[in-house]
Amino acid sequence: MVEDNWPLRRAAERFQVSPTTAQHEAAEAVATADKLAKVAKDPADMSLDDIVAFNHTMEKYRDDPLFAEQFAKRLGAKGTLRFWAEMSYNHAGARGSELQTMKDLQANLGLTLATASFSDSDAMKGWKKALIAESNTNFRAQASPNPVGALGSSRRTRERGSRAPTTCGSRDTTASIWSSVTMTVAIR
């Protein structure tokens, strides 16, 4: 709707809300995406309580296309992978509720990025290309002595002779790429 420049009244009618409500909810989604992207740029500074709150918001908005695209664009492909590298390193070996929080974060982040991938905007086309371009990049968490490949499974799949995804245009493809992230707390 945003990409097709729907008039506010038409979008509001589509969702059976008033134009004022539609405008307010859109503004709230954009502001929330901006806030979370800023927080995600400094993941080492996030306490477990901060992560729980971050995750709760991601869960609330993960199916909202406007929020998802704005979050992905503001964080960027490389920023997204850096965020996950830092989260994974800082919470490696997690147990109990911390482990569940990290699993929920991975799921909600993956679904948010999958929702964003539906967009055909130029910015999201660039984000998708950049995500795939980073598949062989190693990221180092601030406290880590060693870099970690954020999309390592895609790289290993390619090394075994299979083709890794080269486009990223559907929710399934993005969710598949994200689920290939090997830095999960559960694996460590």
Side-chain angles (χ1 to χ4, degrees), residues 16 46 109 170:
Q16 300 175 350
M46 294 174 73
L109 182 60
S170 72

Side-chain angles (χ1 to χ4, degrees), residues 55 58-65 67-69 71-72 103-118 127 170-172 174-176 178-179:
N55 192 37
M58 291 295 284
E59 183 176 20
K60 176 181 176 184
Y61 284 99
R62 70 185 186 193
D63 294 323
D64 181 324
F67 168 84
E69 179 174 353
F71 175 79
K103 286 180 178 182
D104 292 344
L105 177 62
Q106 183 179 18
N108 289 321
L109 182 60
L111 290 170
T112 299
L113 298 175
T115 297
S117 74
F118 277 125
W127 186 91
S170 72
R171 185 176 174 121
D172 290 340
T174 303
S176 172
W178 194 253
S179 69

Side-chain angles (χ1 to χ4, degrees), residues 7 22 38 40 49 52 55-57 60-61 72 79 82-83 90 113 116 131 141 183:
K38 285 177 183 173
D49 287 341
V52 168
N55 192 37
H56 176 73
T57 305
K60 176 181 176 184
Y61 284 99
R82 282 187 178 140
F83 170 74
N90 290 339
L113 298 175
L131 181 69
M183 300 177 313

Side-chain angles (χ1 to χ4, degrees), residues 2-163:
V2 171
E3 293 164 15
D4 293 337
N5 294 318
W6 281 27
L8 181 59
R9 183 164 303 286
R10 182 177 174 202
E13 287 172 3
R14 165 71 170 82
F15 290 102
Q16 300 175 350
V17 296
S18 73
T20 304
T21 300
Q23 187 173 19
H24 173 75
E25 289 180 0
E28 184 179 302
V30 171
T32 302
D34 186 52
K35 178 183 173 188
L36 286 190
K38 285 177 183 173
V39 168
K41 288 184 180 181
D42 291 317
D45 294 338
M46 294 174 73
S47 69
L48 191 55
D49 287 341
D50 294 335
I51 296 167
V52 168
F54 183 95
N55 192 37
H56 176 73
T57 305
M58 291 295 284
E59 183 176 20
K60 176 181 176 184
Y61 284 99
R62 70 185 186 193
D63 294 323
D64 181 324
L66 179 60
F67 168 84
E69 179 174 353
Q70 294 301 312
F71 175 79
K73 286 184 345 186
R74 283 170 166 71
L75 193 54
K78 188 176 271 191
T80 302
L81 296 171
R82 282 187 178 140
F83 170 74
W84 189 248
E86 193 73 41
M87 282 287 135
S88 297
Y89 180 80
N90 290 339
H91 299 277
R95 301 265 187 263
S97 64
E98 181 184 4
L99 176 59
Q100 188 59 52
T101 297
M102 295 310 294
K103 286 180 178 182
D104 292 344
L105 177 62
Q106 183 179 18
N108 289 321
L109 182 60
L111 290 170
T112 299
L113 298 175
T115 297
S117 74
F118 277 125
S119 172
D120 286 332
S121 71
D122 289 340
M124 281 309 299
K125 286 177 184 175
W127 186 91
K128 294 170 200 178
K129 283 184 178 183
L131 181 69
I132 291 169
E134 296 296 337
S135 67
N136 288 321
T137 301
N138 290 319
F139 294 91
R140 184 184 314 267
Q142 286 181 4
S144 173
N146 300 314
V148 179
L151 294 176
S153 339
S154 295
R155 185 172 54 246
R156 281 194 298 275
T157 299
R158 235 185 348 265
E159 288 169 357
R160 288 194 302 258
S162 300
R163 283 194 47 211

